[in-house]
Amino acid sequence: MSSSSSSYSEYSNLQDLPDECWESIFKNLTHPLDHESLSLVSRHFLSLTNRLRTSLTVSDHLLPLLPALLRRFTNLTSIKLTRSFTADLNDLLIQIASSHLPSLHSLDLSHQPAFPSIGLQQFSQKFPTLKSLNCSSMGSLTTADLELIAECFPNLEEIDVSYNHDKYYMISDGDSRVRGLASRLKNLRKVNLSGNHNLRDSSIFALCHDCEFLEELVLVNTNFISKVSPNAFANAIRQRPQLRSLAVGCLPDGFVNGEFRRGNMNSKFIDALVSLKELTCLDLSYSPLSDEFLCAVAEEGLPLRKLKLPGCFEYRYGGISCLLRNCNNLEYLDLQRTLFLDDQCVIGLSMFLGNLNFVNLSENSKLSDSSLFAILGNCPLITEIRMERTSVGKHKLQQDCLVVNSHVKFLNLARNSCLNDESVKMIASVCPNLEMIDLSYCESVSDGAVEVLRKCCKIQHMKLARIGLELFRVDFEVPTLRVLDLSWLRIGDEELSLISKRCYRLRELKLDSCNKITAKGVTKVVENCKQLRVISLLSCENVAADVVAWMVFTRRSLRKITAPPRFHLTEGQRDLFLRHGCLVCQ
């Protein structure tokens, strides 16, 4: 049998696989965008990938295609609007309500300028069993809007009416309205009221008392810190002993109730907190804590898996070490901006963190290489480390005393002024399976970044904005790299051409303020990177304007182009490019 006949026979046999097998294979693809390529193989694969799509993000440029997309992806479970959405929100919701989406249960309207009361009423008639609604950071949200939510979606299990973290927000007569929500939305499991400043004891008590299934309560930057007493809050959370997640922290530069500051969480509050025997997530961000409080939590052996204490103060190493020693299953730890934290502290704490997956130690200026390598050596399951704005690179360690950690995948070391090539090369040697690294604004790093590409054979995402690299020459193939940020680098067309040949599977490339490149280098990228979807040429002064149209019509995979400053986009051009599937913005 010829090789071509054999290949055809094998393909036919594969086609006979049950759909369940194909679906299992497709679900394990490394990137969701791979489904787009598969959908072009055959009608069978198109049907399978359509069924697997469960979420849709709607932006302005997607609107002309929305009816077709809603007919195509009938298994959608969630719809989210982009933050930059400017079209009529009521019309959009009415359009979605006219579609057949039997599995839809989540709607995200966050950051929209106005509450779409008319559209939501129509939407609720088609989807009265909606389970999750996100109305966070809306331009306006009145008490009447809250009443409408309760009326339209009585089966809600998750609601987010928080406000963004840099402003205070007030729902008029919010206390009584939140009590009204609690009395009518009996099935609530997750509630986020962060940023609302008209809440009092009674509303929080009502939430905990009336919502018998409540598992997650988020009250970050609310008047919990100014108007709710520790005793009242203790009485409230005692109503829901099955709480799994509690967030009652402040925010940077926030204010703290004097009673909380003086009492550092009084005995009634501590007793109530430790009575939550199913608590797995605790967030006390930017709050005053005492060693006694942390030790009291430790003694009860709560099954904490996630602990967030960024910016917390008034406690010391003794308290946090006592707690971590007793939290054997902790997977997530955030100690950002912890003033007393130094290398010796981190080395000691790392000994208790054998199950840790994620750690954030950013903005701790006393931490150096010793802390980073202690985490890598003592936390075998760690996958993500954030150490932005620290002193990594300041104290060098001997290579022969370091332990290889093949589990870590994500490493954020941005804005470390002491970090240099020697340290970066050492990091690459002990983290061979890195998939993402952020070295942005590390101005002493240059060719060490190239060594990361050479040594980390699974690297997919690399941020190198404003590092000290003069020449970026990659003389070997990097087929795994998907996202690359080279903003503010002094690279030219020759280097850009070489990068596009070696990193030919790039999907996103950011070249903001790379003023040495021209249209010649950009065309090489578009020609060589056949899967390119996003490219940013913001403030690239020497890139000619006419390259934009050429890119849209040449590389059909492109979905978004941030044009160079010389390009002036007309409405007609914008619509033409959108019809070709590409959003061009300036």
Side-chain angles (χ1 to χ4, degrees):
M1 182 182 291
S2 67
S3 60
S4 59
S5 299
S6 176
S7 298
Y8 178 79
S9 176
E10 291 175 1
Y11 175 77
S12 299
N13 291 335
L14 286 174
Q15 284 288 86
D16 292 334
L17 282 175
D19 286 356
E20 291 80 6
C21 293
W22 283 119
E23 288 181 3
S24 179
I25 294 169
F26 292 171
K27 286 178 181 177
N28 284 285
L29 292 173
T30 57
H31 200 289
L33 294 176
D34 291 331
H35 286 185
E36 184 173 315
S37 300
L38 285 169
S39 68
L40 301 175
V41 173
S42 67
R43 289 185 176 181
H44 182 211
F45 280 12
L46 173 63
S47 174
L48 288 173
T49 53
N50 287 349
R51 293 208 303 259
L52 291 175
R53 182 68 175 262
T54 59
S55 64
L56 181 66
T57 299
V58 181
S59 57
D60 285 353
H61 78 278
L62 198 66
L63 282 178
L65 305 173
L66 188 60
L69 293 175
L70 294 177
R71 289 193 299 271
R72 178 180 173 185
F73 303 121
T74 56
N75 286 340
L76 290 178
T77 61
S78 64
I79 292 179
K80 173 183 172 63
L81 275 65
T82 61
R83 191 167 185 167
S84 57
F85 187 81
T86 60
D88 190 298
L89 192 50
N90 287 297
D91 288 347
L92 173 66
L93 292 175
I94 292 170
Q95 185 177 5
I96 295 173
S98 65
S99 61
H100 179 67
L101 301 171
S103 301
L104 188 65
H105 60 71
S106 177
L107 180 64
D108 188 340
L109 305 177
S110 58
H111 298 97
Q112 300 308 308
F115 185 79
S117 55
I118 296 174
L120 269 184
Q121 290 180 69
Q122 296 257 11
F123 183 91
S124 68
Q125 293 175 16
K126 184 66 176 286
F127 306 105
T129 58
L130 193 75
K131 302 297 183 185
S132 175
L133 179 63
N134 188 340
C135 293
S136 63
S137 298
M138 296 198 91
S140 63
L141 191 62
T142 67
T143 53
D145 298 333
L146 293 182
E147 290 178 347
L148 182 63
I149 290 173
E151 178 183 340
C152 291
F153 306 110
N155 297 305
L156 276 180
E157 296 181 4
E158 302 178 16
I159 186 168
D160 187 342
V161 289
S162 61
Y163 205 61
N164 61 9
H165 291 171
D166 58 352
K167 295 180 181 178
Y168 296 136
Y169 179 57
M170 293 191 181
I171 299 174
S172 60
D173 196 18
D175 189 61
S176 63
R177 297 311 179 188
V178 171
R179 281 187 278 124
L181 277 181
S183 66
R184 298 174 68 179
L185 300 178
K186 298 289 189 180
N187 295 327
L188 283 177
R189 296 180 181 275
K190 299 181 179 181
V191 178
N192 190 342
L193 297 171
S194 298
N196 290 286
H197 284 259
N198 265 340
L199 303 181
R200 298 182 182 276
D201 299 0
S202 56
S203 56
I204 296 174
F205 184 87
L207 276 172
C208 294
H209 181 269
D210 296 343
C211 302
E212 60 177 307
F213 302 110
L214 191 65
E215 296 179 347
E216 180 176 321
L217 182 60
V218 184
L219 298 168
V220 176
N221 200 29
T222 65
N223 64 4
F224 164 75
I225 54 179
S226 61
K227 296 180 181 178
V228 179
S229 70
N231 289 350
F233 192 75
N235 290 335
I237 61 176
R238 280 189 180 277
Q239 306 300 310
R240 288 276 73 85
Q242 79 276 16
L243 273 178
R244 296 179 180 274
S245 179
L246 180 63
V248 292
C250 309
L251 286 168
D253 305 318
F255 55 92
V256 180
N257 182 331
E259 187 174 352
F260 273 103
R261 181 184 288 277
R262 289 191 302 272
N264 281 323
M265 312 288 186
N266 67 19
S267 59
K268 286 188 177 180
F269 179 89
I270 296 173
D271 290 344
L273 184 66
V274 299
S275 71
L276 304 177
K277 301 303 183 184
E278 297 181 35
L279 193 68
T280 58
C281 176
L282 180 61
D283 180 355
L284 298 171
S285 303
Y286 298 94
S287 298
L289 305 175
S290 67
D291 287 344
E292 291 75 17
F293 169 78
L294 296 175
C295 289
V297 174
E299 289 174 4
E300 292 299 321
L302 297 180
L304 290 177
R305 294 184 181 276
K306 185 174 184 178
L307 181 63
K308 297 185 69 174
L309 303 177
C312 289
F313 51 96
E314 296 187 5
Y315 75 99
R316 303 297 295 174
Y317 176 77
I320 189 64
S321 63
C322 178
L323 178 58
L324 297 185
R325 188 182 298 112
N326 288 275
C327 292
N328 298 321
N329 295 315
L330 200 67
E331 299 173 356
Y332 182 111
L333 178 62
D334 188 344
L335 294 177
Q336 180 177 349
R337 205 186 294 188
T338 302
L339 296 180
F340 68 84
L341 212 58
D342 59 21
D343 285 336
Q344 290 304 311
C345 291
V346 172
I347 292 170
L349 295 177
S350 67
M351 305 301 293
F352 311 132
L353 301 173
N355 290 311
L356 200 66
N357 301 146
F358 170 97
V359 66
N360 184 4
L361 299 173
S362 298
E363 298 185 74
N364 290 301
S365 61
K366 299 176 185 177
L367 303 187
S368 70
D369 308 60
S370 298
S371 294
L372 173 60
F373 288 107
I375 294 292
L376 289 170
N378 296 327
C379 306
L381 302 182
I382 195 75
T383 59
E384 181 170 356
I385 302 173
R386 296 183 186 177
M387 291 188 68
E388 191 172 343
R389 294 182 187 274
T390 63
S391 294
V392 172
K394 190 174 184 178
H395 300 143
K396 304 297 184 294
L397 300 180
Q398 295 298 318
Q399 178 82 41
D400 55 7
C401 68
L402 303 180
V403 177
V404 173
N405 188 315
S406 59
H407 209 73
V408 66
K409 296 179 179 179
F410 309 101
L411 192 55
N412 185 345
L413 298 174
R415 292 176 168 83
N416 277 290
S417 59
C418 297
L419 193 62
N420 55 29
D421 288 334
E422 182 182 350
S423 296
V424 171
K425 292 175 184 178
M426 194 176 297
I427 291 168
S429 297
V430 300
C431 302
N433 292 328
L434 269 182
E435 295 179 8
M436 182 273 185
I437 188 168
D438 188 349
L439 299 173
S440 303
Y441 296 88
C442 296
E443 297 183 355
S444 297
V445 173
S446 56
D447 62 343
V450 179
E451 286 304 301
V452 173
L453 292 173
R454 189 190 306 275
K455 294 180 178 180
C456 301
C457 59
K458 296 183 179 180
I459 195 74
Q460 297 182 26
H461 190 153
M462 201 170 195
K463 294 184 178 182
L464 303 176
R466 219 158 192 164
I467 65 171
L469 191 64
E470 292 287 347
L471 293 174
F472 192 55
R473 294 193 176 277
V474 184
D475 57 2
F476 51 91
E477 288 193 355
V478 191
T480 59
L481 196 64
R482 299 292 186 268
V483 181
L484 181 61
D485 184 354
L486 300 175
S487 299
W488 296 93
L489 297 195
R490 294 181 288 275
I491 60 170
D493 290 339
E494 182 181 349
E495 292 158 282
L496 191 57
S497 176
L498 184 59
I499 290 168
S500 69
K501 291 176 182 177
R502 303 306 188 190
C503 310
Y504 52 86
R505 289 183 178 169
L506 277 177
R507 287 181 172 146
E508 297 183 25
L509 179 61
K510 195 170 183 180
L511 299 168
D512 297 358
S513 298
C514 291
N515 290 324
K516 292 179 68 176
I517 64 171
T518 69
K520 180 181 178 181
V522 174
T523 56
K524 289 298 181 182
V525 170
V526 174
E527 289 172 353
N528 294 327
C529 301
K530 302 185 187 306
Q531 300 177 32
L532 191 67
R533 296 179 66 88
V534 179
I535 186 169
S536 179
L537 302 171
L538 184 70
S539 299
C540 291
E541 301 287 347
N542 292 314
V543 176
D546 56 4
V547 76
V548 174
W550 179 86
M551 286 193 290
V552 173
F553 301 131
T554 301
R555 181 57 60 217
R556 299 301 298 269
S557 64
L558 275 169
R559 293 294 177 265
K560 183 178 180 180
I561 298 173
T562 302
R566 294 186 183 185
F567 181 78
H568 301 289
L569 183 67
T570 66
E571 279 295 317
Q573 288 174 319
R574 179 179 178 274
D575 293 341
L576 175 62
F577 296 153
L578 282 175
R579 287 198 294 273
H580 281 76
C582 185
L583 173 66
V584 177
C585 53
Q586 293 178 296

